[in-house]
Amino acid sequence: KALHCSVAFFINCMATSTIQNIQSKEMEDLGFEKLGYFSLSILYFFLGFGSLASTNIMSRIGVKNCIVIGTFLDVIFCAA
């Protein structure tokens, strides 16, 4: 089970990173200047804040539920 989860998270993170980089480049190509990089910086700010709050959230709803919710939200982000 751990190997399957590791492979799934690797693929999910690889897809998310690729989409973030493509989004930044496309926004610059469409004339939005550095708006793609600003949106990435906002995203990484909230990821940093979330990592600080994650231990409290995981203790309340459980590790397994956090993994499921996080993966679901990443899939929604990639689909958008």
Side-chain angles (χ1 to χ4, degrees):
K1 288 185 178 185
L3 180 62
H4 292 106
C5 286
S6 298
V7 170
F9 279 121
F10 173 73
I11 292 170
N12 190 18
C13 290
M14 187 172 59
T16 303
S17 296
T18 304
I19 288 172
Q20 289 171 349
N21 291 333
I22 291 172
Q23 176 207 15
S24 296
K25 183 66 176 143
E26 284 297 316
M27 289 185 87
E28 187 175 347
D29 290 346
L30 292 174
F32 290 104
E33 300 298 321
K34 301 292 182 186
L35 187 60
Y37 298 107
F38 290 132
S39 67
L40 280 179
S41 64
I42 291 170
L43 176 70
Y44 284 124
F45 171 77
F46 283 105
L47 285 173
F49 177 75
S51 69
L52 295 174
S54 64
T55 53
N56 189 17
I57 294 169
M58 282 193 287
S59 67
R60 290 181 184 214
I61 66 172
V63 175
K64 190 180 234 181
N65 290 333
C66 284
I67 291 172
V68 170
I69 292 168
T71 302
F72 178 71
L73 293 175
D74 270 347
V75 168
I76 290 174
F77 175 77
C78 289

